């Protein structure tokens, strides 16, 4: 385990999950070993690196017929400090801005935090790391994205009410600075990183289109179209439509 500069990250939870889970923590040198001892359909499994609270959370999806010993180094971006919090559950419509990102939050939105963040000091702090494409995980190149960000609190879902069931979600409008310098008024896709091991097939570790949008007429920003948005805080990417 390393940060983007190559410095080792120690004591981070590392889990290998799919139908079953195994886990460990990285040591002082950032090394880790997860003994499995079973034959598994590796295409249904992913490695989960939990960088909380100071680094991003990330997933590495495996392919079929991996070798019996899988040696991988995951690199997690550092999350810049922030004093911006997600609004209280059920609050009136608002917007919050951190770095390149602005979230447009609908009236009455509730935020369902991941269990790792619930009740912690950093649990509702919105943090955004802009990740250079040259340092981004492999799924960024596979999806041919133009810009990518790691968001925290990772795994947080926006919902209309926490009592209505986990499948109900609210769309958060997104506005980004046009750091990728896409052409003015160009159509774009917003993509988010999947983290669902239980879906068929699993979506974990794959970027998928979550919303459509456009570059502004002056070329300064990129925003989701009216009625479009994302429902989960995770890795967020933007790509010119049709690219």
């Amino acid at each position: 385990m390393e940060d983007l500069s190559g410095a080792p990250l120690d004591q981070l939870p590392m889990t290998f999950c799919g139908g079953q889970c195994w886990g460990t923590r990285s040591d002082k040198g950032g090394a880790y070993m997860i003994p499995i001892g079973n034959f598994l359909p590796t295409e249904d499994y992913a490695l989960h690196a939990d960088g909380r609270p100071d680094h991003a959370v990330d997933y590495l999806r495996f392919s079929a017929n991996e070798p019996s010993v899988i040696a991988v180094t995951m690199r997690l971006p550092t999350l810049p400090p922030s004093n911006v919090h997600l609004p209280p559950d059920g609050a009136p419509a608002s917007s919050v801005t951190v770095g390149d990102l602005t979230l447009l939050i609908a009236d009455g939105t509730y935020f369902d935090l991941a269990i790792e963040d619930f009740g912690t000091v950093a649990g509702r702090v919105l943090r955004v790391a802009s990740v250079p494409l040259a340092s981004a995980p492999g799924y960024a190149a596979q999806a041919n994205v133009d810009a990518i960000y790691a968001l925290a609190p990772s795994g947080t879902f926006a919902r209309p009410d926490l009592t209505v069931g986990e499948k109900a979600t609210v769309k958060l409008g997104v506005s980004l600075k046009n750091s990728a310098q896409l052409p003015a008024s160009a159509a774009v896709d917003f993509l988010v990183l999947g983290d669902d091991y239980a879906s068929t097939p699993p979506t974990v570790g794959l970027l998928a289109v979550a919303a459509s949008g456009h570059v502004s007429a002056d070329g300064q920003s990129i925003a989701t179209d009216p009625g479009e948005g994302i429902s989960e805080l995770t890795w967020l990417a933007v790509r010119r439509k049709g690219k």
Side-chain angles (χ1 to χ4, degrees), residues 160-175:
D161 188 325
L162 296 184
T163 65
V164 299
E166 64 179 22
K167 291 185 178 180
T169 56
V170 170
K171 293 181 179 180
L172 303 172
V174 175
S175 177

Side-chain angles (χ1 to χ4, degrees), residues 115-195:
I115 191 170
E116 295 90 345
D117 290 312
F118 186 80
T120 67
V121 172
R124 295 182 74 93
V125 177
L126 181 62
R127 301 170 77 180
V128 179
S130 176
V131 181
L133 291 179
S135 304
Y139 48 73
Q142 293 167 10
N144 202 23
V145 304
D146 293 296
I148 190 165
Y149 300 83
L151 310 185
S154 182
T156 295
F157 280 90
R159 304 198 188 280
D161 188 325
L162 296 184
T163 65
V164 299
E166 64 179 22
K167 291 185 178 180
T169 56
V170 170
K171 293 181 179 180
L172 303 172
V174 175
S175 177
L176 291 168
K177 293 180 182 177
N178 187 12
S179 59
Q181 298 184 329
L182 297 179
S185 302
V188 302
D189 291 319
F190 287 84
L191 300 91
V192 296
L193 184 67
D195 57 7

Side-chain angles (χ1 to χ4, degrees), residues 3 10 12 39 82 95 99 133-134 139 161 178 185 195 197 210 241:
D3 65 14
D10 69 313
L12 294 189
F39 290 100
S82 169
S95 66
L133 291 179
Y139 48 73
D161 188 325
N178 187 12
S185 302
D195 57 7
Y197 295 96
K241 195 176 287 289

